[in-house]
Amino acid sequence: MIPPQEASARRREIEDKLKQEEETLSFIRDSLEKSDQLTKNMVSILSSFESRLMKLENSIIPVHKQTENLQRLQENVEKTLSCLDHVISYYHVATDTEKIIREGPTGRLEEYLGSMAKIQKAVEYFQDNSPDSPELNKVKLLFERGKESLESEFRSLMTRHSKVVSPVLILDLLSGEDELEVQDEVPLEHLPEGALQDVIRISRWLVEYGRNQDFMNVYYQIRSSQLDRSIKGLREHFRKSSSSSGVPYSPAIPNKRKDTPTKKPVKRPGTIRKAQNLLKQYSQHGLDGKKGGSNLIPLEGRDDMLDVETDAYIHCISAFVKLAQSEYQLLTDVIPEHHQKKTFDSLIQDALDGLTLEGENIACAARKAVIRHDFSAVLTVFPILRHLKQTKPEFDQVLQGTAASTKNKLPSLIASMETVGAKALEDFADNIKNDPDKEYNMPKDGTVHELTSNAILFLQQLLDFQETAGAMLASQVLGDTYNIPLDPRETSSSATSYSSEFSKRLLSTYICKVLGNLQLNLLSKSKVYEDPALSAIFLHNNYNYILKALEKSELIQLVAVTQKTAERSYREHIEQQIQTYQRSWIKVTDYITEKNLPVFQPGVKLRDKERQMIKERFKGFNDGLEELCKIQKAWAIPDTEQRDKIRQAQKNIVKETYGAFLHRYGSVPFTKNPEKYIKYRVEQVGDMIDRLFDTSA
């Protein structure tokens, strides 16, 4: 049971909470009523605002549409007025531009091209919109006149400003390739920069708007003339410089002062001049063939003009490559791409034809010289041919894209020169063998024959052109002639390109053939001499000359490629001729040898027969000695070493024999006048032999 007091307290608490809840409920009810009233007021306001907006929209939209239509009408009017102005302007183009077109583009190309653009647009407008209007004909005529003026200006700019490249500048350009210290390439300015830019702009306009390709013909004709004149000027420079100073030169590189020119010797190919130097060199060593003759024209008599022409031509070939490369670079800026190769082909034709013709003339002159047995003239072909082959890769690169006939000019020239060279080599070998000069112009002193010296000097030249000469021989399929098997590995894809080893063997065999022919001819010539001793001296001198010449150069190594024993063979031939010569003294020494000499006892009086025999022996020796010394004194052995060797050997033999004879019979009373028979002491005999082969003694 809950106590009464707690129950009363509990009831009061519940009554208080109930009272609070009733108050809260009453507050909520009042709030709901206020909220409903506010909602009704807001709905009423919104309804009123919506009504007002609808009224405003109904009033504004018609005004907006009317304004938009008015703006569109205004734009159409403005566009119409603009089009009218534009169309009307075409009718004034002829009048506005006629004066400019009539005066031409010179000095104001920019303005002129602007006027031509206006005329072009006018032509297009009238063609599209009014093809029958007189205005069309008027602007067409004006356009054609303007185009002609541009073509004329193009020609005028090219003619007035195209420059011939000076010879000294070309030489600087060429010499710069070989000088490591020259880093900056010598510039070639064919046209001034301003003129070049005008030419480029005109050419582009003519291509794009003028629909005209005639200017390309004008371009290549003018540039072709300048290229040809540049190369001819270089050739003339060589001739003038060589005639005045002997050395073509170029001035200092452009960045140096113009008042201090520096001469630059041009590299010489060394053909005839080298032969002359070799001849002098051998002369200093006692090897020259100063007497005698053959129908070979002596190398030492050649004119230096051959070297000048050769040098000039070689430099013109190099100059053509450099100038053609430069021309192509210039052309790519002026001529449209799809016309560049054809235009370039036409541009280089005159210069290339001139070089080809000159090369053919050189080959033809060499061919005629060979017919006259002037084989030294063919030496001009060797440096040219070598240079052509060395330059061919650059040629091929420059001529890429040109016509086949253009590309074939250099190979044809090379083939022509190879044919001439091969024919000259073969004719030279045959001429050495068949040289008919056996009785006339033979050296009376037995010295080196001119045929020998010329043959050796000619072969010396081949050392500098081994690959070229080998290729000449190989080009004529001479390998079969020399029985040299052709290994497929020794050839490249080209039938005329052989390995250096094969060419070397082929050239070695050829040189051995020439030397063999020379030896046979010398043997034949030696029979002209009635005196076998002089014949032996002649062969000795020539064999010794050949051997020494081979040893002083690389010829001996080249010969050894196919003939290992050549050096030993020549030494044996030389020794054989010395022995043959020594036999000429037998008829002298036979008088004083012990055979058939009278035998007597000391103190026993000689019989008349014995005294007479001793007298005859002394007289025979004296007469033979004097005769031989007189004859052989006029003979010559140019090689000092060989001359001393032969004298000494002969002196030893004769002095020993004569000394023994004199010792045995010098004190024998075989005559009342001993000085009549004992004319010489042993030392005097030696002195007489020491004066042999010395025409100055």
Side-chain angles (χ1 to χ4, degrees):
M1 289 282 301
I2 300 172
Q5 291 179 351
E6 291 182 1
S8 177
R10 180 74 174 166
R11 187 169 51 251
R12 282 193 305 270
E13 182 179 353
I14 292 171
E15 287 177 352
D16 290 338
K17 287 183 178 182
L18 180 61
K19 185 178 181 180
Q20 290 177 356
E21 290 294 337
E22 287 177 351
E23 290 176 355
T24 301
L25 179 62
S26 176
F27 176 76
I28 291 172
R29 187 178 290 112
D30 292 340
S31 296
L32 286 173
E33 289 178 356
K34 290 180 180 180
S35 177
D36 288 342
Q37 185 61 40
L38 290 173
T39 299
K40 289 179 181 179
N41 292 337
M42 181 60 68
V43 170
S44 176
I45 291 172
L46 290 174
S47 297
S48 176
F49 185 70
E50 182 181 6
S51 175
R52 291 180 179 181
L53 281 177
M54 290 182 65
K55 289 181 180 179
L56 180 62
E57 183 179 353
N58 291 333
S59 299
I60 291 300
I61 287 177
V63 175
H64 174 72
K65 289 183 178 179
Q66 186 177 6
T67 302
E68 188 178 44
N69 291 334
L70 289 174
Q71 288 177 343
R72 187 179 300 111
L73 289 173
Q74 183 180 4
E75 289 177 359
N76 290 338
V77 170
E78 289 176 353
K79 288 181 179 179
T80 301
L81 291 175
S82 176
C83 288
L84 287 173
D85 290 340
H86 183 67
V87 169
I88 292 172
S89 69
Y90 287 132
Y91 288 85
H92 296 287
V93 165
T95 303
D96 295 341
T97 60
E98 185 175 8
K99 180 180 178 181
I100 296 174
I101 299 302
R102 184 175 62 252
E103 292 176 352
T106 303
R108 52 175 180 176
L109 182 61
E110 186 73 27
E111 181 184 5
Y112 193 89
L113 291 179
S115 297
M116 289 298 294
K118 293 179 181 179
I119 297 171
Q120 173 70 17
K121 290 179 180 179
V123 170
E124 293 173 354
Y125 171 79
F126 288 121
Q127 285 178 335
D128 294 338
N129 298 281
S130 183
D132 297 328
S133 65
E135 285 78 6
L136 176 60
N137 293 331
K138 190 173 183 179
V139 291
K140 272 188 173 181
L141 290 174
L142 195 59
F143 181 81
E144 291 300 322
R145 185 191 305 172
K147 185 172 70 172
E148 290 174 0
S149 295
L150 284 173
E151 293 171 354
S152 177
E153 179 69 5
F154 183 89
R155 179 187 294 274
S156 176
L157 287 171
M158 290 297 301
T159 302
R160 285 187 287 113
H161 296 289
S162 286
K163 299 178 181 179
V164 174
V165 184
S166 67
V168 290
L169 185 57
I170 295 175
L171 291 175
D172 281 338
L173 182 66
L174 296 180
S175 63
E177 296 178 341
D178 302 319
E179 296 178 4
L180 297 178
E181 67 273 12
V182 178
Q183 299 295 331
D184 297 330
E185 190 172 304
V186 180
L188 286 180
E189 186 182 63
H190 298 292
L191 292 169
E193 184 61 28
L196 176 60
Q197 293 304 319
D198 286 349
V199 166
I200 293 173
R201 293 199 62 187
I202 293 174
S203 69
R204 290 177 180 174
W205 189 94
L206 290 174
V207 171
E208 186 174 357
Y209 302 107
R211 307 291 190 271
N212 192 331
Q213 299 181 6
D214 291 344
F215 77 94
M216 301 180 196
N217 297 332
V218 172
Y219 178 86
Y220 90 71
Q221 289 169 0
I222 294 174
R223 292 310 310 165
S224 175
S225 174
Q226 301 302 327
L227 175 61
D228 193 39
R229 288 171 60 193
S230 296
I231 294 176
K232 288 179 178 177
L234 177 63
R235 185 185 301 111
E236 189 63 26
H237 175 77
F238 266 83
R239 291 171 180 167
K240 289 182 179 179
S241 298
S242 62
S243 62
S244 60
S245 63
V247 181
Y249 70 94
S250 66
I253 297 174
N255 61 0
K256 296 183 180 179
R257 293 180 59 189
K258 294 183 180 180
D259 58 345
T260 56
T262 304
K263 290 189 176 183
K264 293 185 179 179
V266 180
K267 292 187 177 181
R268 315 291 291 207
T271 53
I272 310 305
R273 186 177 295 107
K274 184 174 180 181
Q276 296 172 357
N277 294 336
L278 285 170
L279 191 62
K280 293 177 182 178
Q281 173 187 347
Y282 292 142
S283 176
Q284 293 169 358
H285 288 81
L287 295 176
D288 64 324
K290 57 187 177 181
K291 297 182 180 179
S294 73
N295 64 342
L296 285 173
I297 296 178
L299 295 178
E300 56 183 323
R302 299 297 301 174
D303 191 351
D304 278 354
M305 277 305 295
L306 284 176
D307 268 347
V308 173
E309 294 296 331
T310 300
D311 290 350
Y313 186 71
I314 286 176
H315 282 81
C316 286
I317 290 292
S318 296
F320 172 81
V321 173
K322 288 296 178 185
L323 294 178
Q325 290 173 341
S326 180
E327 287 290 349
Y328 189 78
Q329 292 174 356
L330 176 67
L331 178 142
T332 55
D333 292 331
V334 180
I335 305 299
E337 183 176 358
H338 54 289
H339 292 285
Q340 289 173 2
K341 295 295 184 182
K342 182 179 179 181
T343 304
F344 180 69
D345 194 343
S346 301
L347 189 155
I348 62 175
Q349 283 304 313
D350 287 348
L352 185 57
D353 286 344
L355 289 174
T356 304
L357 178 61
E358 187 175 357
E360 291 290 351
N361 290 339
I362 291 173
C364 182
R367 190 181 297 111
K368 292 178 179 179
V370 170
I371 294 175
R372 301 192 306 269
H373 293 167
D374 177 9
F375 296 101
S376 61
V378 81
L379 294 176
T380 60
V381 172
F382 282 83
I384 292 174
L385 182 56
R386 181 175 66 180
H387 187 71
L388 288 176
K389 287 189 172 184
Q390 291 173 344
T391 314
K392 188 176 183 299
E394 292 183 82
F395 252 98
D396 293 341
Q397 184 178 5
V398 169
L399 300 183
Q400 279 183 350
T402 58
S405 58
T406 303
K407 294 178 181 177
N408 290 334
K409 287 181 180 179
L410 182 66
S412 298
L413 179 59
I414 289 175
S416 176
M417 287 194 168
E418 280 190 336
T419 301
V420 172
K423 183 66 166 61
L425 291 176
E426 281 303 289
D427 286 357
F428 178 78
D430 292 340
N431 194 78
I432 291 295
K433 181 179 180 180
N434 302 317
D435 179 55
D437 185 14
K438 296 179 181 177
E439 297 182 5
Y440 303 102
N441 296 323
M442 286 292 289
K444 296 179 180 180
D445 57 3
T447 190
V448 179
H449 198 280
E450 194 172 52
L451 177 69
T452 302
S453 61
N454 281 347
I456 292 299
L457 289 175
F458 185 86
L459 295 180
Q460 287 279 4
Q461 307 312 300
L462 302 186
L463 289 176
D464 290 335
F465 308 101
Q466 294 184 34
E467 291 188 8
T468 304
M472 285 179 177
L473 298 170
S475 69
Q476 303 301 310
V477 199
L478 297 181
D480 294 337
T481 304
Y482 300 134
N483 298 318
I484 295 180
L486 182 59
D487 189 334
R489 292 173 297 180
E490 293 180 318
T491 63
S492 68
S493 57
S494 173
T496 58
S497 180
Y498 296 86
S499 72
S500 58
E501 185 62 30
F502 177 72
S503 297
K504 191 173 184 179
R505 286 193 287 123
L506 194 57
L507 184 59
S508 173
T509 305
Y510 170 78
I511 292 175
C512 291
K513 177 184 177 181
V514 172
L515 294 176
N517 290 349
L518 177 60
Q519 186 173 340
L520 290 175
N521 200 325
L522 291 173
L523 283 171
S524 177
K525 291 182 184 298
S526 68
K527 296 176 182 177
V528 172
Y529 296 110
E530 296 179 359
D531 191 335
L534 181 55
S535 177
I537 291 296
F538 171 77
L539 291 176
H540 164 273
N541 284 332
N542 283 271
Y543 291 155
N544 184 63
Y545 179 90
I546 294 171
L547 178 60
K548 290 295 178 67
L550 294 178
E551 291 176 335
K552 285 180 180 294
S553 66
E554 296 178 8
L555 275 176
I556 192 66
Q557 289 90 347
L558 194 55
V559 169
V561 171
T562 54
Q563 196 173 100
K564 306 292 185 184
T565 61
E567 186 175 359
R568 185 180 67 188
S569 177
Y570 274 110
R571 294 192 187 282
E572 291 175 353
H573 289 320
I574 292 170
E575 192 59 37
Q576 288 174 2
Q577 300 310 317
I578 292 176
Q579 293 174 6
T580 301
Y581 162 75
Q582 288 176 343
R583 286 197 288 270
S584 68
W585 283 83
I586 293 178
K587 61 182 179 181
V588 176
T589 56
D590 267 355
Y591 285 106
I592 56 176
T593 55
E594 293 187 359
K595 65 178 182 177
N596 300 324
L597 286 175
V599 179
F600 58 91
Q601 297 296 327
V604 178
K605 185 178 180 180
L606 296 176
R607 297 192 297 271
D608 291 341
K609 182 178 181 181
E610 292 174 338
R611 287 196 297 271
Q612 186 61 33
M613 182 178 293
I614 294 173
K615 290 178 183 179
E616 290 175 356
R617 294 306 174 91
F618 268 107
K619 187 176 185 305
F621 172 77
N622 293 335
D623 293 345
L625 175 65
E626 292 169 355
E627 181 183 4
L628 278 185
C629 287
K630 180 180 179 181
I631 293 173
Q632 295 184 8
K633 178 182 177 181
W635 298 354
I637 300 180
D639 189 329
T640 305
E641 182 181 349
Q642 286 291 314
R643 182 168 64 237
D644 293 342
K645 175 184 174 182
I646 293 175
R647 283 173 175 171
Q648 188 61 42
Q650 198 60 52
K651 185 168 64 172
N652 291 341
I653 295 173
V654 176
K655 285 178 66 176
E656 182 181 352
T657 307
Y658 182 64
F661 179 78
L662 192 60
H663 176 73
R664 185 170 184 178
Y665 296 101
S667 58
V668 174
F670 64 92
T671 178
K672 295 180 180 180
N673 301 309
E675 66 279 357
K676 179 180 178 181
Y677 297 97
I678 307 177
K679 296 173 65 174
Y680 303 105
R681 301 188 307 275
V682 175
E683 291 74 14
Q684 289 178 309
V685 171
D687 292 341
M688 294 173 68
I689 295 176
D690 278 336
R691 289 194 291 272
L692 297 179
F693 317 118
D694 188 358
T695 56
S696 63

